[in-house]
Amino acid sequence: MWLQYEPITEKKVKDQYQRVLRHVVIKEDDPIILSAKNELEIAVKEMLDYEINWAEDVQDANFVIGNKKELAGFLEEGQRCLLADLADEGFIVQTINQKSYLVGNTDAGVMYGIHHFIRLMQMKADPSQLHIADQPKNQFRMINQWDNLDGSVERGYSGKSIFYQNGKIVKDKARIHDYARYLSSIGINSICINNVNVWEEETYFITKKYLPEIKEIADIFSSYAIRLYLSINFASPITIDGLSTADPLDGEVKQWWKDKVAEIYDYIPDFGGFIVKADSEHRPGPFTYNRDHADGANMLAEVLEPYDGKVIWRCFVYNCLQDWRDRATDRARAAYDHFKPLDGRFHENVLLQIKNGPLDFQVREPVSPLLGAMSQTNQLIEFQVAQEYTGQQIDLCYLIPQWKQVLAFDTHIKGPGSTISEIVAGNIHVYKHSGIAAVSNIGNDENWTGHTLAQANLYGYGRLTWDPSLSSQQIAEEWIIQTFGNQKEVLAKIEKMLLSSWKIYENYTAPLGVGWMVTPGIHYGPNIDGYEYSRWGTYHFADREGIGVDRTIETGTGYTSQYEEPNRFIYNILSECPDELLLFFHHVPYKYTLKNGETVIQHIYNTHFKGYEQVEDLMDIWNSLEHVMDNARFKHVQDRLYRQKMNAKEWRDQINSYFYRKSGIADQYNRTIY
Ligand code: GCU
């Protein structure tokens, strides 16, 4: 992936780095520092073909690396002030009088500083006059694996799990170790290693049957400053020890969890805590006992609190047995309706994990109105790096622009500037803990992510959680240079492909924010009515007159009322609503004219014909790279693009035919519709 450490051939750059790295001093008895030092050694050896000459004393070194405590006596006042202004995981890299300093507030900070320095080397930046002070914007920068013990990965599109195989935790943990290197290099500091749906056998992960081996995994991650979390089954006391109830207010149940948590921390002293999917898609939860989510989360929070453990409670709670005839129930409303009334009731070590949109990681959704709506409850936003609804790592879909749009969304919760980015950074309400989580997209495929170019989503996810102000283009450039080298042509062309890909995917799939229309169950490929008469609450309501979901206050489900002004007004009033979300909020006739001047039906035809052509353009761009690319990666991506073209064709023709048949309105340009 992006840690290939290709040799630097430019003599000038190579000399510059060799000069800076002449005599390096670094303290090395801590596992995190050891990993960081090791990474620097690998990078320098491979990129500069050079063995670092480690110095013993700070005085003898021309590159000094360490945390601020151990370097206290050697730092200048200015450096101390800079560090004091940075978070624990922050660092500085500076050159003063020919001597370079890489100092972290903590060992984790040192590690992030080293990764930063390596990245500069990969980007061939001039190292002679560095003045960097950096820190993560978000406290929680988390990855969720949806891996199961049988080796499968729920919504995994990159082969099997790297953690489990055939009902066992893998013996050879080399791949897990590499994953830790990748994650730490992009700033990730927390990982949950099992699926949020905790099945029968995985329920026993919190018992001595599995804890010794989970501890081994935890140790690998913690040597990269990544804390390990487990998803738990809310009904564990019943499943594991035959208790008659899992009622969170029952004394015996509380004691059971207390003992359980003590046992876990015996094995893993820096264990992060639990992720809980409760009362969601048939998973057990407090509702069974007439308790609410605060009761459930707080019971676990109390027993984790003495160990600094956290409860990450997911808000993906909705009625998944809806009657499609029932027009009053609106799944989009569910998370807000369930959780907003509970604001103020959650303990300080509970974080609510909220999906970025109110439905489920569609190619286009509005931002979840629950984000920021609870001033006294810690929140984490959840993204999906795995491309469940965005092409499943067969189709190219660079998701950074989507996430950036979400993070930039201004909720106006506390007046202008209350963006999602500031909310999850804990700057709008004073959250004790907050940040960003996402579902991982990796598996045991040789290239980790199924589609080689899907690596950019994982890379970009990490970089964004660290610094949401990085642009989609900057992130793409960094990733391409580190992964494919810095040939101008390769850079320009892959960048163009990545940056256009989200829009292209949207063009040939479900139009104007309406979502779904995918094959039920697998979620790849078109099936326009696949979810229309189902129990999942995901409808488009297309009839012969028009399409879309009326979520307005006056005539619809009232979902728009969950937003603050002016967003409420903008979404609620048809003429104000942005085109891209029109069908999410309104039911309109096919001949309704969009702000862009096209009618809805003509827009559907136009975007679908265009989307397919754009995939052909992607193929042409890629094909033109054959002479500058290694054959393996060239052929691999070429093959994926071909499959994407077939998918786009199916989407184009099914969507166009469906709406032509429903509406009877012909395409203005007489293109082929079936
Ligand atoms: C989606 C996804 C499921 C997953 C669920 C969740 O519905 O299709 O596989 O379990 O989200 O986030 O819990």
Side-chain angles (χ1 to χ4, degrees), residues 108-153:
V110 176
M111 187 190 66
Y112 293 127
I114 288 183
H115 282 306
H116 190 103
F117 182 79
I118 295 174
R119 187 157 48 239
L120 291 177
M121 198 150 62
Q122 289 172 294
M123 305 290 291
K124 302 184 176 118
D126 180 351
S128 48
Q129 287 305 324
L130 295 172
H131 281 283
I132 297 161
D134 202 4
Q135 63 178 341
K137 171 104 177 173
N138 292 290
Q139 188 192 3
F140 273 75
R141 305 182 301 280
M142 184 169 211
I143 272 286
N144 293 176
Q145 299 300 133
W146 282 4
D147 297 36
N148 301 313
L149 194 61
D150 66 4
S152 64
V153 179

Side-chain angles (χ1 to χ4, degrees), residues 610-642:
K610 184 171 173 195
Y612 175 80
E613 285 163 17
Q614 287 174 307
V615 177
E616 290 186 318
D617 295 342
L618 290 177
M619 294 178 82
D620 289 343
I621 301 177
W622 187 258
N623 286 338
S624 73
L625 288 173
E626 183 165 13
H627 63 291
V628 282
M629 173 83 48
D630 55 284
N631 205 37
R633 287 191 292 185
F634 174 75
K635 285 270 186 278
H636 159 84
V637 174
Q638 191 181 45
D639 172 63
R640 297 267 151 162
L641 287 167
Y642 177 75

Side-chain angles (χ1 to χ4, degrees), residues 29-36 89 106-109 111-112 115 163 176-181 183-184 188-193 213-229 267-272:
D29 53 1
D30 178 276
I32 296 174
I33 297 288
L34 255 185
S35 320
E89 295 165 298
T106 55
D107 289 343
M111 187 190 66
Y112 293 127
H115 282 306
F163 293 88
I176 299 177
H177 185 261
D178 278 343
Y179 191 38
R181 291 174 55 209
L183 293 181
S184 71
I188 299 297
N189 65 1
S190 319
I191 186 167
C192 179
I193 59 162
E213 263 199 287
I214 291 178
K215 181 204 162 37
E216 282 179 44
I217 299 178
D219 286 346
I220 294 174
F221 283 112
S222 79
S223 68
Y224 287 88
I226 300 169
R227 276 182 109 173
L228 181 131
Y229 289 70
Y267 284 97
I268 310 169
D270 63 344
F271 180 64

Side-chain angles (χ1 to χ4, degrees), residues 146 154-155 196-197 277 281 314 316 355 360 388-389 523:
W146 282 4
E154 181 151 335
R155 311 305 174 186
V196 288
N197 294 309
K277 172 173 177 177
E281 299 185 326
R314 294 178 83 238
F316 189 55
K355 290 193 183 186
D360 198 9
E388 177 176 359
Y389 297 97
H523 301 167

Side-chain angles (χ1 to χ4, degrees), residues 338-397:
H338 278 292
F339 286 93
K340 164 86 179 165
L342 302 178
D343 193 19
R345 291 212 20 233
F346 291 96
H347 284 202
E348 274 202 327
N349 57 333
V350 177
L351 294 92
L352 296 187
Q353 182 163 314
I354 304 163
K355 290 193 183 186
N356 64 270
L359 290 176
D360 198 9
F361 303 131
Q362 301 300 291
V363 67
R364 178 82 63 178
E365 279 186 61
V367 170
S368 167
L370 185 59
L371 286 159
M374 301 173 75
S375 62
Q376 299 167 71
T377 309
N378 301 318
Q379 295 193 335
L380 275 178
I381 190 172
E382 177 178 342
F383 291 121
Q384 196 183 38
V385 188
Q387 291 170 237
E388 177 176 359
Y389 297 97
T390 48
Q392 305 200 347
Q393 288 136 248
I394 297 167
D395 301 28
L396 180 64
C397 192

Side-chain angles (χ1 to χ4, degrees), residues 190-213:
S190 319
I191 186 167
C192 179
I193 59 162
N194 64 318
N195 189 359
V196 288
N197 294 309
V198 183
W199 310 118
E200 175 82 18
E201 189 58 22
E202 291 87 345
T203 301
Y204 292 86
F205 274 17
I206 53 174
T207 68
K208 61 175 181 302
K209 182 168 179 195
Y210 292 103
L211 282 170
E213 263 199 287

